[in-house]
Amino acid sequence: MALLSKANQEALVGPLNLNNPVVVQVLGICSALAVTAQLEPAIVMGLSVTIITAFSNLIISLIRNSIPNRIRIIVQLVVVAALVTIVSQVLKAFAYDVSVQLSVYVGLIITNCILMGRLEAFAMMNKPWPSFLDGIGNGIGYAIILVIVGFVRELLGSGTLFGFQVVPDWCYEHGYMNNGMMTMPAMSLIIVGCVIWAHRAYNKELQ
């Protein structure tokens, strides 16, 4: 089937591993630093970026032939800004606490280099369905890294996951202490560096 062609499968699956936007292309690092102190906002940010990247890719691909080249970036920004506004309002309506935790970072999705890069490099040159798949793949690839970093930081930094204590009390009674450094943005950069190292050690072809 054309919908499941090898090229379409690569557009969807490639960003999950060998072409991951964070650990291979080293994009989207800023939000990995900002929103991963806890697992829940990391997941919400990952889902938000996935939705926005997928639908902005789809929309831009649909209208790409009618966009004057000299204003294509402006058109892309308008489409992304509209989608970001919708996602932001949905979060405020249905997940207000998480929306507060994410603060301005949802609005800053409009400047996410992964999103703008896929619009310029893929959606402007490909048909709607592959562009949609590319957006989903890159969004999920980005989200996976945020979830890994958020999981490690919350577990080691607070002893919790999703706000619930998972480190048993007897560990603290025997001298275990949460690593307060994990709550600092610098630690997320170190964790991302460790993930990149592990990913490239596993995927020899990237070396």
Side-chain angles (χ1 to χ4, degrees), residues 169-177:
D169 290 331
W170 63 263
C171 289
Y172 295 106
E173 293 169 0
H174 287 77
Y176 177 81
M177 296 180 63

Side-chain angles (χ1 to χ4, degrees), residues 59-98:
I59 293 169
I60 291 298
S61 180
L62 286 169
I63 64 175
R64 69 188 188 282
N65 293 325
S66 60
I67 302 176
N69 187 60
R70 65 183 182 277
I71 62 167
R72 69 185 190 284
I73 300 298
I74 297 174
V75 174
Q76 292 170 12
L77 288 173
V78 169
V79 170
V80 174
L83 291 170
V84 167
T85 301
I86 293 171
V87 168
S88 177
Q89 294 303 312
V90 169
L91 286 176
K92 288 178 180 178
F94 298 102
Y96 182 75
D97 291 341
V98 177

Side-chain angles (χ1 to χ4, degrees), residues 56-145:
S56 61
N57 265 17
L58 175 63
I59 293 169
I60 291 298
S61 180
L62 286 169
I63 64 175
R64 69 188 188 282
N65 293 325
S66 60
I67 302 176
N69 187 60
R70 65 183 182 277
I71 62 167
R72 69 185 190 284
I73 300 298
I74 297 174
V75 174
Q76 292 170 12
L77 288 173
V78 169
V79 170
V80 174
L83 291 170
V84 167
T85 301
I86 293 171
V87 168
S88 177
Q89 294 303 312
V90 169
L91 286 176
K92 288 178 180 178
F94 298 102
Y96 182 75
D97 291 341
V98 177
S99 176
V100 171
Q101 285 181 287
L102 292 174
S103 184
V104 299
Y105 297 106
V106 172
L108 289 175
I109 291 175
I110 191 173
T111 63
N112 192 305
C113 44
I114 297 172
L115 196 153
M116 297 304 298
R118 298 324 297 168
L119 292 177
E120 188 71 4
F122 199 93
M124 287 293 293
M125 296 182 290
N126 289 275
K127 294 181 179 179
W129 178 244
S131 297
F132 184 69
L133 294 179
D134 178 80
I136 292 177
N138 277 275
I140 294 176
Y142 164 84
I144 288 171
I145 306 304

